[in-house]
């Protein structure tokens, strides 16, 4: 891929809205992940089946065993993105939400030391894979993974509101979600 698709969106008529929502979502998820760092480490230690040696390969296998960190993080982030797109008159579902999700992966990869070209090549594929695999798993197990997934999504949707208003609510934090699931 290599070309920066986000730059193209940022230069379009909805560019400022897109860029602003990506910045808010990135700051929100960065804070939530940092706050939940200790719980996540404990969670990963207890879930020995989760590894990422192959590109996405293990995620499909882990889904069979229930929720894992990749899924929790994705569903929580997806809830936050849903809120941001829903409450922005310049953005639309089915187009902008997917690109914001990919942009968040891109920014996270950059934060983790990836170069821009490799991050751009990977982020769209990873976002598409997460959407296809995790949402499918939730749909197939609506009373199990799907029910928990929907709860995580809703907490991310509510937590971003509290983040924006400057009144964080621990009830909807990623840290609390991980504590409850592990």
């Amino acid at each position: 891929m290599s070309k920066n698709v986000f730059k193209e969106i940022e230069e379009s008529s909805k560019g400022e809205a897109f860029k602003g929502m990506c910045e808010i979502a990135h700051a929100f998820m960065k804070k939530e992940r940092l706050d939940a760092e200790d719980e996540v480490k404990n969670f990963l230690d207890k879930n020995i089946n989760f590894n990422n040696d192959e590109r996405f390969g293990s995620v499909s296998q882990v889904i069979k065993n229930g929720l894992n960190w990749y899924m929790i993080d994705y569903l929580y982030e997806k809830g936050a993105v849903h809120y941001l797109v829903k409450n922005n008159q310049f953005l639309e579902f089915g187009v902008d939400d997917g690109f914001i999700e990919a942009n968040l992966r891109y920014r996270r990869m950059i934060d983790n030391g990836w170069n821009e070209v490799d991050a751009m090549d990977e982020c769209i594929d990873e976002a598409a894979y997460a959407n296809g695999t995790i949402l499918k798993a939730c749909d197939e197990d609506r009373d199990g993974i799907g029910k928990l997934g929907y709860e995580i999504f809703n907490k991310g949707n509510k937590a971003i509101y509290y983040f924006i208003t400057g009144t964080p609510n621990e009830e909807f934090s990623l840290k609390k979600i991980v504590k409850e699931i592990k």
Side-chain angles (χ1 to χ4, degrees):
M1 172 193 265
S2 294
K3 73 177 187 172
N4 189 333
V5 295
F6 308 125
K7 189 94 169 141
E8 291 177 19
I9 298 170
E10 290 171 6
E11 292 172 355
S12 73
S13 60
K14 58 183 161 188
E16 288 301 315
F18 177 82
K19 187 176 179 182
M21 295 304 100
C22 288
E23 289 172 2
I24 291 169
H26 181 241
F28 168 72
M29 286 305 297
K30 199 170 182 177
K31 180 189 178 308
E32 288 294 318
R33 288 179 184 126
L34 183 63
D35 289 349
E37 189 173 25
D38 290 337
E39 284 73 18
V40 170
K41 286 178 184 172
N42 291 333
F43 184 80
L44 293 177
D45 288 344
K46 292 182 191 273
N47 289 280
I48 57 172
N49 295 319
F50 183 68
N51 62 46
N52 201 7
D53 294 338
E54 296 178 33
R55 184 173 185 239
F56 310 127
S58 63
V59 177
S60 296
Q61 187 61 36
V62 174
I63 287 171
K64 294 176 186 173
N65 299 321
L67 287 173
N68 61 56
W69 168 244
Y70 187 90
M71 296 170 71
I72 294 166
D73 184 66
Y74 164 78
L75 291 164
Y76 190 75
E77 181 179 277
K78 190 159 187 68
V81 169
H82 178 269
Y83 178 88
L84 293 172
V85 173
K86 178 182 166 193
N87 290 290
N88 189 305
Q89 66 185 3
F90 301 105
L91 301 177
E92 58 188 290
F93 283 109
V95 178
D96 299 313
D97 51 329
F99 280 112
I100 291 173
E101 291 168 20
N103 184 276
L104 288 174
R105 283 169 171 47
Y106 173 79
R107 289 171 183 246
R108 187 173 184 190
M109 290 172 185
I110 297 296
D111 289 347
N112 290 331
W114 287 50
N115 69 55
E116 290 181 14
V117 172
D118 290 343
M120 185 56 61
D121 286 344
E122 187 73 13
C123 70
I124 300 290
D125 289 341
E126 186 176 321
Y129 179 85
N131 270 315
T133 303
I134 295 172
L135 294 181
K136 182 180 175 191
C138 288
D139 284 343
E140 289 174 355
D141 185 10
R142 290 180 187 258
D143 294 329
I145 291 174
K147 184 177 178 184
L148 285 171
Y150 186 72
E151 290 171 12
I152 293 166
F153 174 92
N154 280 334
K155 287 183 179 184
N157 192 294
K158 292 176 181 167
I160 190 88
Y161 165 80
Y162 291 110
F163 176 79
I164 292 169
T165 60
T167 56
N169 185 331
E170 181 67 26
E171 181 67 26
F172 304 110
S173 72
L174 187 57
K175 180 177 185 173
K176 182 163 184 177
I177 291 169
V178 176
K179 274 184 180 178
E180 290 174 351
I181 290 177
K182 67 178 183 174

